[in-house]
Amino acid sequence: MSFWRSDYRALGQTLTSGRLGVDMPQPNGLGMRIAVFNQALAEEMSLEWAHADMDSVSGWIQSTSQPMAMAYAGHQYGYFTMLGDGRALLLGEWQNDLGICYDVHLKGSGPTPFARGGDGYATLHAMLREFIITEALHALGVPTTRSLMVLETPYKVWREMDQRGGLLLRTAPHHVRIGTLEYANRALSPEDYARYAMVILNRSIGLWNGANALEQGRSLYGVGDFDPEAVRCYFEEWSRRQAELLAHWMRVGFAHGVLNTDNISLMGMTLDLGPCAFVNTYDLKRSFSSIDQYGRYAWGRQSEIMEWNAGVLLSCLLPLLDSDHNERRAVLIAQDLLQQYRFCVEQALKRMQWMKLGLDPQRFSNHEEACSLVSDWQVWLEESRPDYALSYLNLEVILQEAMQFDSKSYPVQGGLLESSSRHISVDLPSRDWVARWINFLEGAGDGACLSSLAQMQSQNPSMIPRNHLVEDALDQKVLHDRDAGWDELLKAIREPYQRSELQRRLNQPPPLGDAGYCTFCGT
Ligand code: AMP
Ligand code: MG
């Protein structure tokens, strides 16, 4: 069974006379065409269209009772601003046959009262870009909003020139952001804010725990009772998930690019992909966004900036942290929670670095040689700035070769690096480091190399969506209506751990690495 709900709206009306968003008419889908359709996600959502056609899609969009543009605020580049869905609409909540909930959102559907002078539309290019990057992240195992389809609109969008227009249908368990709470905290009475926040936090906890509305026999947005313990539990779980998310971003080389609080999900998943990119070269200071002049959202600063964002989230939770509303006690609790958050992030990043090298972080975390192998490798990455993804694939080749020989000293005798270099294309750290690493893995017990190899193959992608290939595929598709490059890239990024020829061929960096590559927001 599946059905539409629109509980945000019901909630908004009950608590706040609709002040948490603005009702909007449904887009009618007239003259639109499907540019790309995510069959696998449609099946997961139990959408029963044999093949997607515009009539089914329009009918589906129009079957929702009342779309809503949500109000939210946010700290953009550190400054507080009123925002809201300027070009997005929450269509409603969909439930698949298993009872799993999806909020369905449109992006690029036209101006709303929150558009602040923007046209409310989006280019086909930008929406296709979000589609392919979310597909890549999902396949890489990185929690993210998903993209169900991109529609091409009949109208053009002006971005320094006329461009084809696009509309993205995206899904998430919910699309509530830190900025939603920032807004509600200011806009609502303390009582209404507490009830609203509890609803959102309880719903997040419910979704994390796999709760489903049908079983509970009531909406997951049902009114929540003020419960400081639940708020603390919420933040602890968010911390754990946000820390894992950061570690994933660092693991695969993903730079979100605009980590303003209005783009940070309360579910701990990647949200609002705009000027994002994947690093080729290992350069922690690299930011790709055209407006990020000072590198606030640089790839390697993501955990630092997310701690700042976690602080903003905690400031929104302050009124909910102490049962007697004692501010001093609430601040102490918040400080403690922020400390825990920091610890979660440190641990997640450390685990990620170890796992990428095939080292077991639990077994060897107190082992001096293992620790020094990891820190030497990290220093080498920072100093040499090699191609990030290929560096680990090279290590994998070396490990595989070493496993074919018995001699522990093989690497230092010279044969290994030379023979491996036939298969590998970029720098490696010193022979000494490689020899120590192989020796360590060999010395870790029977079958250790094999399990390290398996671990590396599950942590290190054989394929990331290289920026230049994404741009080429988009240009071909949008400017020339040629789908071959797009289809091939989509196929490859959907199997990012597959060690095969397709991935090997498409996972090559551009000749100049990241030099000159720049991304844009709000297109
Ligand atoms: P973003 O950078 O996509 O997260 O957008 C930041 C804010 O600007 C959000 O409130 C968006 O809804 C709004 N926005 C971005 N582009 C447009 C546009 N073309 N028209 C209206 N609002 C927009
Ligand atoms: Mg945004």
Side-chain angles (χ1 to χ4, degrees):
M1 190 166 80
S2 4
F3 56 89
W4 278 108
R5 309 180 68 92
S6 54
D7 294 327
Y8 279 121
R9 184 166 165 264
L11 182 76
Q13 282 177 341
T14 343
L15 295 182
T16 67
S17 324
R19 272 180 295 151
L20 290 168
V22 175
D23 290 343
M24 299 290 294
Q26 280 103 331
N28 57 23
L30 277 181
M32 295 195 190
R33 85 175 177 93
I34 298 173
V36 55
F37 182 71
N38 193 337
Q39 186 73 41
L41 179 57
E43 281 167 20
E44 191 188 306
M45 291 174 71
S46 318
L47 290 167
E48 286 138 9
W49 313 322
H51 50 86
D53 61 77
M54 247 344 274
D55 284 345
S56 316
V57 172
S58 305
W60 188 60
I61 289 177
Q62 300 212 312
S63 75
T64 181
S65 48
Q66 183 85 71
M68 190 174 89
M70 290 197 70
Y72 53 85
H75 277 81
Q76 296 196 308
Y77 286 87
Y79 295 98
F80 182 76
T81 326
M82 254 314 293
L83 295 159
D85 287 333
R87 57 168 174 173
L89 293 181
L90 175 72
L91 282 183
E93 188 185 351
W94 179 257
Q95 212 158 27
N96 75 2
D97 291 343
L98 299 173
I100 295 170
C101 298
Y102 301 82
D103 263 10
V104 183
H105 235 236
L106 296 183
K107 186 165 170 180
S109 45
T112 76
F114 304 113
R116 298 174 300 147
D119 60 7
Y121 296 110
T123 63
L124 180 62
H125 185 284
M127 297 303 97
L128 288 172
R129 191 169 188 278
E130 179 156 342
F131 184 99
I132 200 164
I133 303 286
T134 50
E135 275 304 276
L137 287 173
H138 175 71
L140 284 162
V142 184
T144 179
T145 59
R146 303 284 312 276
S147 300
L148 179 60
M149 69 185 93
V150 176
L151 304 179
E152 178 169 10
T153 61
Y155 37 81
K156 296 277 181 272
V157 178
W158 181 259
R159 298 287 182 270
E160 292 171 343
M161 58 177 173
D162 265 344
Q163 293 199 31
R164 293 166 81 169
L167 188 61
L168 175 73
L169 269 91
R170 64 177 175 176
T171 71
H174 67 55
H175 289 82
V176 183
R177 309 129 197 282
I178 294 181
T180 317
L181 289 186
E182 289 180 81
Y183 168 74
N185 193 14
R186 285 164 173 85
L188 306 183
S189 69
E191 295 73 29
D192 275 352
Y193 173 65
R195 292 162 71 203
Y196 177 71
M198 287 312 302
V199 167
I200 297 297
L201 304 188
N202 281 334
R203 170 161 165 84
S204 306
I205 294 170
L207 289 164
W208 283 331
N209 292 338
N212 97 41
L214 285 180
E215 276 170 13
Q216 292 188 354
R218 64 181 174 84
S219 163
L220 283 172
Y221 288 103
V223 171
D225 296 324
F226 172 56
D227 177 358
E229 185 52 31
V231 177
R232 285 199 288 271
C233 287
Y234 165 79
F235 186 82
E236 282 165 4
E237 184 60 16
W238 180 82
S239 299
R240 208 184 55 70
R241 286 173 184 261
Q242 190 60 49
E244 288 303 325
L245 182 64
L246 275 165
H248 278 302
W249 288 350
M250 298 311 288
R251 175 174 69 81
V252 302
F254 176 74
H256 181 285
V258 59
L259 292 175
N260 295 324
T261 54
D262 51 295
N263 293 334
I264 309 301
S265 155
L266 290 186
M267 286 297 290
M269 53 175 43
T270 317
L271 171 69
D272 272 12
L273 293 91
C276 58
F278 280 80
V279 296
N280 293 297
T281 308
Y282 190 93
D283 180 357
L284 294 171
K285 297 208 176 87
R286 186 68 160 86
S287 63
F288 295 90
S289 167
S290 61
I291 56 170
D292 190 13
Q293 287 168 356
Y294 302 107
R296 180 179 167 93
Y297 299 132
W299 177 59
R301 288 193 72 189
Q302 297 188 116
S303 46
E304 193 183 325
I305 210 69
M306 274 308 307
E307 189 176 318
W308 194 91
N309 290 335
V312 175
L313 173 55
L314 278 170
S315 74
C316 294
L317 301 182
L318 266 186
L320 311 171
L321 285 174
D322 181 73
S323 46
D324 299 326
H325 301 283
N326 179 311
E327 214 174 299
R328 257 172 55 92
R329 270 206 304 269
V331 169
L332 289 176
I333 295 168
Q335 283 170 342
D336 185 47
L337 288 171
L338 192 59
Q339 190 61 35
Q340 285 181 42
Y341 169 80
R342 234 174 254 141
F343 182 72
C344 282
V345 172
E346 269 167 33
Q347 293 299 307
L349 292 176
K350 181 178 161 192
R351 265 196 310 276
M352 178 273 296
Q353 291 176 351
W354 282 59
M355 303 274 287
K356 279 179 81 72
L357 289 175
L359 296 165
D360 181 344
Q362 273 179 337
R363 186 170 162 208
F364 296 119
S365 63
N366 293 323
H367 195 292
E368 203 180 319
E369 172 65 351
C371 294
S372 108
L373 278 168
V374 178
S375 63
D376 291 351
W377 171 266
Q378 291 301 132
V379 168
W380 174 76
L381 283 178
E382 281 178 42
E383 285 176 354
S384 308
R385 300 191 184 180
D387 184 88
Y388 184 43
L390 291 186
S391 302
Y392 290 90
L393 295 171
N394 291 341
L395 282 185
E396 195 180 302
V397 171
I398 290 178
L399 179 57
Q400 273 166 328
E401 291 215 352
M403 285 163 64
Q404 291 167 12
F405 297 89
D406 266 348
S407 162
K408 288 185 180 173
S409 58
Y410 183 64
V412 262
Q413 287 167 356
L416 179 60
L417 287 184
E418 272 73 34
S419 74
S420 295
S421 64
R422 287 199 305 274
H423 307 286
I424 60 184
S425 45
V426 292
D427 307 340
L428 277 170
S430 69
R431 276 171 189 218
D432 175 52
W433 185 91
V434 174
R436 281 168 52 210
W437 177 66
I438 296 283
N439 287 342
F440 186 84
L441 295 181
E442 283 179 341
D446 283 348
C449 287
L450 204 58
S451 63
S452 291
L453 183 65
Q455 182 180 305
M456 290 175 75
Q457 287 175 336
S458 70
Q459 298 297 308
N460 300 319
S462 58
M463 174 76 206
I464 53 162
R466 300 276 178 177
N467 305 320
H468 65 296
L469 294 188
V470 172
E471 299 304 335
D472 277 358
L474 285 170
D475 284 349
Q476 288 295 319
K477 191 167 169 65
V478 176
L479 301 178
H480 307 293
D481 279 313
R482 286 194 211 115
D483 284 347
W486 167 272
D487 292 344
E488 187 181 55
L489 189 61
L490 201 54
K491 183 171 180 325
I493 56 115
R494 280 177 164 155
E495 291 185 322
Y497 298 99
Q498 189 76 39
R499 269 57 181 163
S500 68
E501 179 50 27
L502 176 66
Q503 280 74 14
R504 204 199 57 76
R505 180 163 54 81
L506 296 184
N507 195 30
Q508 297 305 316
L512 296 178
D514 291 317
Y517 185 64
C518 181
T519 55
F520 303 91
C521 314
T523 43

